[in-house]
Amino acid sequence: MKEKISALHKEFMNVRFNGSLTPSSSPSLGPSPSPSRPPSPSHGYEFITANASETEIEEERTEIIEERSNLTIDDVILQLKYGNDEEFNFALLWFNESIRQGLITNEWINEGGIVLILVNRLSSCKPNNRLIILRILQKLASENSENKEKMADAASLSALVKSLTRDTEERREAVGLLLDLSDLQAVWRRLGRIQGCIVMLVTMLNGDDPIASSNAGKLLNALSSNTQNALHMAEAGYFKPLVHYLKEGSDMSKILMATALSRMEVTDQSRASLGEDGAVEPLVKMFNAGKLEAKLSALNALQNLSNLSENVQRLINSGIVVSLLQLLFSVTSVLMTLREPASAILARIAQSESILVNQDVAQQMLSLLNLSSPIIQCHLLQALNSIAGHRNASEVRSKMKENGVIHLLLPFLTESNMKIRTGALNLLYTLSQHLPEELTEQLGESHLNTIVNIILSSPLETDKAAAVGILSNIPISNKKATEVLKKSNLLPILISMMNSSPSMISNSLAEGVAGVLIRFTVPSDKKLQLLAAQNEAIPLLVKLLSCGSLVAKCRAAAALAQLSQNSVSLRKSKKKSWFCVPPSATAFCDVHDGYCIVNNTFCLVKAGAIPPLIQILEGKEREADEAVLNALATLLQDEIWENGSDYIAKNAGVEAIIKIMETASVKAQEKALWILERVFGVEELRVKYGESAQVVLIDLAQKGDPRLKSTTAKLLAQLELLQFQSSYF
């Protein structure tokens, strides 16, 4: 390296000058009568900086300056202005070293227009030179206020801002220089207007470079004294200045910030930042204490923030719910414009269970329903639906029942405004899950027909799902409702809807349809069961066992179990005297020991329901086990239990039943024990599966629910692992 530096040193020594520039015996910093271009070395300074040590570079810089001290000011200025990369590099090095040695005066800098020259070269020179320029400018700015003002014009600031987009080191130097310039008020205003400046500063603030981040934060803080800059920062995702104005700004500044926030398209992450920075509390204060314009801008801003659950909790903690309700009850004309955003915020707040601390809020909303505009009615219905659906809202629902909520909502089912009707349907569905008796009392024939018509005609699947859900929650004991629904042709409507576009059916709609089919398959009414079967309900139920949600599977299994209870009595004997035409051999059912046709005998075997039922048991979720076991148990009725046991075993059902015994609910365990008792009545099956069952049964006898103790002991005795006279009985 020393050899390379020495060679470069000799090249500088031997260089020849052109034109009128002649070597002089002493340095000349004065103007030259006929300036010419100083030569440049054939190797750029960048080669040195890339390979030499700092000490060697420093020594060489000094030697170069000493040996080229015959350059004039005009020579340097020309090369700084017009020189190519190598020439500019050499002149910049000369100028930098001269500044370091204190050889350059402010007068020289001013006369030569050096500041503007350097700023103008920023956009065209190489990265290493840009770093040198930025450091020179920072030194010049720190030493002389006139130099600083020369860098504060819009063009110069724009050139400096471009450096914020470049590599790490250049960004760090640029933001440091801009921070030095920020004590000039003109800079605050101009920087905010330069496209991309504030965005880049916010990016640097959030970046990994601690020095650049700190300086960017300080610069943003300085720029935020201008309200427009604070708004630009908020748009870039930096909200602290905006929140500061909301807390401590003038009334007009607060309104400006709140209005901007209400119109801003923000992400949930931005909403979270605003909430954490403390935006909610001053906005609530503006709403409570401000004049009309302040109230409106604050409410609209809060509406934007309330899309995030964390901010909803902050709103509840602020006590705003009472103020919002008071506003909705107000009849003052000037406050009417505030009611819509107030109701929208209430709808968002109601999604949090914390709203239940305001015990009378639901009753107050109900009393407002018929006194409000359509938009407010929609928001109130949404809020009431959220409140009624909360797990701990039983007291609230009871009070709603006392206030005649079902009677109040039913007229909305014929509302021409689709959004209002949807809101009422959703609320009725939620209430129907908790208040089925109230629903039975209030739903007349006309209301039931209206609900069926919604299922038939609504373009919204959510409306169909809510309407079907309401019907599925009407108690099965309500025979009058069943008769009305039968006459309204509900069954073909539902099954046609489910079969028309099965891939588009939502889980909630499928669950509701399966629930309605439980009503039409009650074992006590074979004619009703036949109606369901003739409308192709059984294939649909079997399909839901495989592709429905867990709730749909559970309900489908329950409906199939009800149908299968009557299969034994409906089967056709093997005797030919039963038939005018001999039945197909494929119609014979080994389980029912007779001829089964699905639509006539509701046979689960011929319907292909047993494999998907057992697959549910083999799954990881246990909520549908009891319904599935009830369906399988119908194959083990007294007359057919041996055939049914063989068929369940053939389809791997015994292993599945034994496997779920450890984790199933008590009711499911009880049904599983009953099934195993029947299965192990077949000697072959007892030998085949007894050993795998005994471990589970012993554990169940020792640690299981006391209600299962007797049945478990009987099974163990059946497996000859426990004597019948044991105390377990």
Side-chain angles (χ1 to χ4, degrees):
M1 178 55 61
K2 287 183 179 178
E3 289 175 1
K4 290 177 181 178
I5 293 174
S6 176
L8 186 60
H9 174 266
K10 288 179 181 178
E11 185 174 347
F12 279 124
M13 292 288 292
N14 296 329
V15 73
R16 293 290 180 265
F17 302 105
N18 59 13
S20 61
L21 179 65
T22 56
S24 60
S25 59
S26 61
S28 172
L29 293 178
S32 170
S34 61
S36 61
R37 298 182 358 172
S40 61
S42 59
H43 301 288
Y45 177 65
E46 292 132 16
F47 170 79
I48 299 176
T49 58
N51 297 282
S53 70
E54 290 185 8
T55 303
E56 291 168 332
I57 292 170
E58 186 64 30
E59 291 174 354
E60 186 58 24
R61 280 173 171 171
T62 303
E63 291 180 21
I64 290 171
I65 295 302
E66 289 175 351
E67 291 162 9
R68 300 306 311 275
S69 58
N70 57 339
L71 290 177
T72 68
I73 294 176
D74 288 344
D75 297 331
V76 173
I77 292 174
L78 280 173
Q79 293 298 4
L80 289 177
K81 272 187 176 182
Y82 307 116
N84 60 30
D85 287 340
E86 290 184 354
E87 293 166 344
F88 175 75
N89 181 72
F90 187 73
L92 187 65
L93 172 64
W94 180 94
F95 183 65
N96 191 32
E97 291 300 330
S98 297
I99 289 180
R100 285 162 59 88
Q101 295 179 22
L103 300 177
I104 302 295
T105 65
N106 283 323
E107 182 181 358
W108 190 93
I109 291 169
N110 290 333
E111 289 180 359
I114 296 299
V115 171
L116 291 181
I117 291 173
L118 293 177
V119 170
N120 290 334
R121 287 303 298 258
L122 263 179
S123 61
S124 60
C125 63
K126 292 185 176 180
N128 284 347
N129 288 336
R130 289 201 298 268
L131 281 176
I132 296 172
I133 291 173
L134 289 170
R135 288 166 183 160
I136 291 173
L137 291 175
Q138 195 165 3
K139 183 173 179 59
L140 295 179
S142 64
E143 291 178 350
N144 187 282
S145 59
E146 290 184 15
N147 291 335
K148 188 179 291 189
E149 289 175 358
K150 290 175 183 176
M151 301 176 207
D153 65 277
S156 298
L157 291 174
S158 295
L160 296 175
V161 166
K162 286 182 181 178
S163 289
L164 296 179
T165 65
R166 296 188 173 112
D167 61 50
T168 302
E169 195 170 0
E170 185 171 344
R171 289 201 302 268
R172 186 188 306 146
E173 296 296 336
V175 75
L177 174 55
L178 289 171
L179 179 61
D180 289 343
L181 300 178
S182 66
D183 57 358
L184 300 175
Q185 289 191 5
V187 171
W188 301 349
R189 184 179 63 258
R190 290 168 185 162
L191 271 182
R193 293 175 179 173
I194 297 174
Q195 186 175 8
C197 175
I198 287 177
V199 172
M200 286 307 305
L201 290 174
V202 172
T203 302
M204 293 173 70
L205 175 68
N206 298 322
D208 298 328
D209 185 336
I211 297 174
S213 175
S214 175
N215 286 339
K218 292 174 183 175
L219 181 54
L220 286 168
N221 186 57
L223 297 179
S224 68
S225 59
N226 181 289
T227 55
Q228 288 301 318
N229 288 343
L231 292 177
H232 290 317
M233 292 174 198
E235 290 168 354
Y238 180 55
F239 300 103
K240 287 184 178 178
L242 180 146
V243 174
H244 175 76
Y245 277 107
L246 287 176
K247 290 178 177 178
E248 301 180 19
S250 65
D251 289 346
M252 285 307 299
S253 295
K254 290 178 180 178
I255 292 172
L256 176 66
M257 298 299 155
T259 302
L261 184 54
S262 69
R263 297 171 180 170
M264 211 173 283
E265 293 185 9
V266 290
T267 62
D268 282 348
Q269 184 179 356
S270 296
R271 290 186 180 96
S273 296
L274 282 158
E276 291 164 6
D277 290 343
V280 172
E281 292 76 10
L283 287 170
V284 171
K285 187 176 179 181
M286 281 177 67
F287 166 64
N288 286 330
K291 295 181 180 179
L292 181 61
E293 188 179 5
K295 287 179 184 291
L296 183 59
S297 61
L299 273 183
N300 287 329
L302 288 172
Q303 184 178 349
N304 197 354
L305 295 181
S306 65
N307 280 318
L308 189 72
S309 57
E310 291 87 346
N311 289 339
V312 165
Q313 191 58 51
R314 293 184 177 100
L315 283 167
I316 293 172
N317 295 340
S318 74
I320 196 174
V321 173
V322 174
S323 301
L324 292 173
L325 285 170
Q326 288 175 348
L327 175 59
L328 291 180
F329 277 106
S330 173
V331 293
T332 306
S333 59
V334 294
L335 299 177
M336 296 300 283
T337 55
L338 306 178
R339 298 180 71 193
E340 288 186 10
S343 63
I345 294 171
L346 274 175
R348 302 263 171 76
I349 292 176
Q351 294 173 7
S352 169
E353 196 155 355
S354 299
I355 196 173
L356 297 177
V357 298
N358 303 86
Q359 295 182 351
D360 296 327
V361 64
Q363 282 62 50
Q364 290 177 294
M365 289 182 184
L366 281 174
S367 65
L368 285 165
L369 260 183
N370 287 319
L371 304 174
S372 304
S373 67
I375 293 177
I376 295 174
Q377 283 179 323
C378 288
H379 290 149
L380 290 175
L381 288 167
Q382 291 171 14
L384 286 165
N385 187 41
S386 296
I387 293 170
H390 289 314
R391 182 177 301 176
N392 297 316
S394 56
E395 290 186 17
V396 173
R397 288 190 291 266
S398 296
K399 288 185 178 179
M400 292 172 75
K401 175 184 175 182
E402 292 170 8
N403 290 330
V405 61
I406 303 293
H407 179 73
L408 179 66
L409 291 173
L410 288 175
F412 287 107
L413 295 181
T414 56
E415 173 65 51
S416 58
N417 186 309
M418 294 284 288
K419 291 184 177 180
I420 294 176
R421 189 181 73 176
T422 296
L425 267 175
N426 290 334
L427 180 51
L428 277 170
Y429 170 59
T430 299
L431 293 171
S432 72
Q433 298 174 72
H434 303 282
L435 305 173
E437 295 82 9
E438 178 74 7
L439 195 66
T440 301
E441 294 173 7
Q442 298 291 333
L443 280 179
E445 182 174 353
S446 62
H447 298 126
L448 291 171
N449 287 327
T450 298
I451 294 172
V452 172
N453 187 55
I454 291 172
I455 297 169
L456 184 62
S457 62
S458 176
L460 302 176
E461 187 178 306
T462 52
D463 282 7
K464 295 178 187 288
V468 173
I470 292 168
L471 298 180
S472 71
N473 289 325
I474 299 173
I476 294 174
S477 58
N478 187 339
K479 304 295 183 184
K480 184 178 179 182
T482 303
E483 194 60 31
V484 172
L485 296 176
K486 178 182 172 183
K487 289 180 180 178
S488 69
N489 291 319
L490 176 64
L491 269 179
I493 291 172
L494 293 181
I495 294 170
S496 172
M497 179 175 63
M498 292 292 290
N499 291 333
S500 61
S501 53
S503 61
M504 303 296 290
I505 299 298
S506 66
N507 284 339
S508 57
L509 181 54
E511 291 164 8
V513 170
V516 171
L517 289 176
I518 292 176
R519 169 181 293 278
F520 283 92
T521 56
V522 289
S524 59
D525 193 337
K526 291 181 183 178
K527 288 185 178 180
L528 198 60
Q529 286 187 325
L530 185 61
L531 177 67
Q534 289 174 344
N535 278 284
E536 300 298 324
I538 294 176
L540 174 61
L541 291 168
V542 172
K543 186 176 182 180
L544 288 175
L545 293 177
S546 300
C547 62
S549 66
L550 193 61
V551 173
K553 290 176 181 178
C554 182
R555 292 178 177 178
L560 288 168
Q562 293 185 152
L563 288 164
S564 182
Q565 288 179 42
N566 288 324
S567 293
V568 173
S569 63
L570 294 172
R571 66 184 171 172
K572 303 299 181 183
S573 170
K574 290 188 291 185
K575 295 180 181 179
K576 293 184 179 180
S577 58
W578 280 86
F579 304 99
C580 297
V581 179
S584 167
T586 58
F588 184 77
C589 176
D590 291 329
V591 173
H592 293 108
D593 195 26
Y595 293 99
C596 289
I597 301 171
V598 174
N599 285 352
N600 294 333
T601 64
F602 323 137
C603 174
L604 298 189
V605 176
K606 292 300 180 182
I610 304 305
L613 284 169
I614 292 171
Q615 285 175 3
I616 294 173
L617 296 181
E618 292 171 341
K620 296 181 180 179
E621 297 171 300
R622 302 271 62 90
E623 289 83 352
D625 287 350
E626 184 184 354
V628 169
L629 292 170
N630 284 334
L632 293 176
T634 61
L635 302 187
L636 303 174
Q637 296 176 62
D638 290 343
E639 299 176 47
I640 59 169
W641 67 272
E642 290 180 279
N643 294 340
S645 297
D646 287 333
Y647 192 80
I648 291 172
K650 187 191 298 185
N651 284 276
V654 178
E655 298 102 310
I657 292 170
I658 293 171
K659 186 178 178 181
I660 68 162
M661 289 285 289
E662 294 178 283
T663 55
S665 66
V666 173
K667 286 188 176 182
Q669 287 176 331
E670 189 174 18
K671 182 57 69 172
L673 288 170
W674 184 90
I675 292 174
L676 290 178
E677 187 178 358
R678 292 255 162 161
V679 169
F680 291 157
V682 179
E683 176 68 23
E684 182 183 348
L685 299 179
R686 182 168 68 251
V687 171
K688 185 175 181 179
Y689 298 107
E691 187 176 348
S692 62
Q694 67 183 29
V695 176
V696 177
L697 292 171
I698 290 171
D699 188 65
L700 197 61
Q702 293 174 346
K703 303 175 185 177
D705 191 280
R707 290 172 289 179
L708 306 175
K709 198 172 185 180
S710 176
T711 311
T712 306
K714 286 180 182 178
L715 262 178
L716 288 170
Q718 196 175 1
L719 295 173
E720 298 180 354
L721 295 172
L722 193 68
Q723 294 181 354
F724 274 99
Q725 63 268 28
S726 167
S727 62
Y728 272 93
F729 296 99

